[in-house]
């Protein structure tokens, strides 16, 4: 049965770092291999600015060129709902 509470507590948050993601997956008996494979879905699609802002301005493990390219449409303040492709180019194809 669908559960709002489960959705908010059991699905990984977009703000989690890698160790937290690994722990969350393990709590569902999924391993690092599963995490990597399922993360591959993000080769297509878009994300909203407020969800990835911290990563492109404050994190040191984000590709600098990619971070700079995303900053163009995701300012420090405002533009929360601006969307950007999850990869460099928006190809809408799975590759
Ligand atoms: C660690 C688990 C996951 C996390 C933290 C996560 C997080 C996210 C976030 C933050 C977005 C952007 C949403 C938005 O801005 O509205 C997104 C988009 C997306 N996710 Fe995930 N996701 C996860 C797992 C998956 C899996 C398992 C799949 C499919 C097998 C998937 C497929 C997608 C797709 C296709 C989009 C693009 C949606 C669109 O363009 O409208 N995700 N995900």
């Amino acid at each position: 049965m669908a559960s709002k509470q489960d959705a908010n507590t059991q699905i990984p948050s977009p703000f989690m770092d890698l160790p937290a993601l690994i722990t969350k997956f393990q709590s569902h008996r999924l391993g690092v291999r599963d995490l990597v494979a399922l993360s591959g879905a993000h080769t297509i699609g878009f994300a909203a600015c407020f969800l990835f802002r911290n990563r492109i301005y404050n994190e040191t493990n984000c590709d600098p060129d990619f971070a700079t390219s995303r900053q163009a449409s995701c300012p420090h303040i405002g533009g929360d709902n601006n969307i950007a492709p999850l990869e460099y180019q928006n190809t809408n194809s799975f590759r």
Side-chain angles (χ1 to χ4, degrees), residues 43-58:
T43 188
I44 59 170
F46 295 80
C49 169
F50 77 98
L51 293 173
F52 61 82
R53 176 181 285 121
N54 188 55
R55 301 193 191 277
I56 61 171
Y57 286 104
N58 301 322

Side-chain angles (χ1 to χ4, degrees), residues 23-90:
T23 299
K24 177 59 81 178
F25 267 61
Q26 282 173 341
S27 75
H28 294 284
R29 293 199 280 175
L30 294 166
V32 172
R33 193 179 175 86
D34 302 309
L35 172 56
V36 171
L38 291 169
S39 297
H42 300 100
T43 188
I44 59 170
F46 295 80
C49 169
F50 77 98
L51 293 173
F52 61 82
R53 176 181 285 121
N54 188 55
R55 301 193 191 277
I56 61 171
Y57 286 104
N58 301 322
E59 286 190 0
T60 53
N61 61 0
C62 184
D63 179 291
D65 292 337
F66 185 67
T68 301
S69 75
R70 288 298 169 264
Q71 287 168 7
S73 61
C74 183
H76 271 290
I77 297 169
D80 282 7
N81 294 319
N82 292 354
I83 59 170
L86 291 160
E87 278 201 342
Y88 262 111
Q89 296 168 357
N90 170 26

Side-chain angles (χ1 to χ4, degrees), residues 1-12 24 28:
M1 183 169 49
S3 160
K4 182 178 178 182
Q5 186 182 349
D6 281 353
N8 286 330
T9 57
Q10 299 306 314
I11 294 175
K24 177 59 81 178
H28 294 284

